[in-house]
Amino acid sequence: MLSEEVKTAYDNFYTNSDVAWRMLGAKYKAQNIVDVCKGIKPQRVLEVGAGDGSILHFLNDWNFAPELYALEIAESGVDLIKDRKLSRLKEAQTFDGYKIPYADDSFDLIILAHVLEHVEHERILIRELKRVSKYIVVEVPKDYRFGVDKRMKHFLDYGHINMYTPTSLRFLLQSEGLEILEDKVSMTAPETVKFNEFVNRKAPKSFIKNFKIELEYRIKKTMGNLLGLKKKEQFANAYTVLTKKSDQNLHIF
C-alpha cells in the first residue's frame, strides 16, 4: 500500500499540473496504445493510474472501446476524470496502488501508461493486472541512458524510481507469464518539444530553434529507419507493448 506522503504528493500534482501540457502528451500516448492494440477489439477497458483522465479523453473520443473504467491513487485525479463526463466512462475510483477492486477476468484490456516507473513493487502490481484482464498494454518512458545514476534528483523529482529499456521491460513482463503480442518505440514529437521549450520553459520563439527541433526529429527518424531496431530503440523516448496473459511462468533453478 502507498504511504500517505506519496498519495498527498500525487493529489497536489493533479491539482497543480498544467492541463494543456498533460493533454498534449496524452494524445501521443493514446495513439501509441491504439497502434499496438489494432489486432484486438476490447469491450471493457480499465486504465490503472489514470491520472486526470487525459488518455481516456482521447480513447473516448476515438471510440476505442464501448466501456471505459479508471483507477487512480489520487482523489484529485478521480475528481478530474469524473468532471470530464466521458460518454463511455462507466466508473472511476481510487485504489491503494496495488489491489485492483474487481473480480478475476473482469476486463478485456488494462492500460498501464507511464505508471510502472513509479511503482515500488512492480511485480506485485503486474500479477494483479494479470488476474483481472486478458490483455495488458504497458507504456514506459525510456529514461535509461549511460550515466543516468548521475541525474537521480531529476528523475526522483518526477517520481521515477524504475528505469527501463525495451529489452528490460520485455524481460520483466515475460518473466511474469505475459506473452508479447505487439510493441512500438516512439520519439517525442516536435509539437511536444516545442511546447516544452516555448511554453513551459518560456524560451523566446525563433525560426532557427523551430528548424533545429524539426531537423533533429527527422534525422533521428531517418537514421532509425535506415539502421534498424537497435538504433530506433536508442533514439526512442517511450516504449509501448501489448501483452496477453499465458500459463507460462519463470522457472528459477
Side-chain angles (χ1 to χ4, degrees), residues 45 88 180 201:
V45 174
R88 296 168 182 266
I180 307 296
R201 296 179 180 176

Side-chain angles (χ1 to χ4, degrees), residues 86-153:
L86 304 178
S87 61
R88 296 168 182 266
L89 183 68
K90 302 302 179 183
E91 190 172 42
Q93 58 179 312
T94 58
F95 80 126
D96 68 2
Y98 291 101
K99 180 64 178 176
I100 307 297
Y102 291 102
D104 294 0
D105 301 313
S106 294
F107 296 95
D108 303 304
L109 175 69
I110 282 180
I111 295 167
L112 196 73
H114 292 253
V115 171
L116 205 57
E117 65 271 19
H118 300 270
V119 178
E120 184 178 4
H121 305 293
E122 55 200 330
R123 288 182 181 271
I124 293 175
L125 178 59
I126 290 169
R127 291 166 193 170
E128 185 69 348
L129 303 183
K130 185 180 172 184
R131 178 183 67 80
V132 298
S133 183
K134 180 178 182 181
Y135 297 99
I136 304 168
V137 60
V138 179
E139 180 170 300
V140 294
K142 189 175 162 289
D143 288 334
Y144 182 81
R145 298 287 193 279
F146 178 77
V148 71
D149 58 316
K150 306 297 184 184
R151 303 178 62 213
M152 284 186 64
K153 185 180 185 305

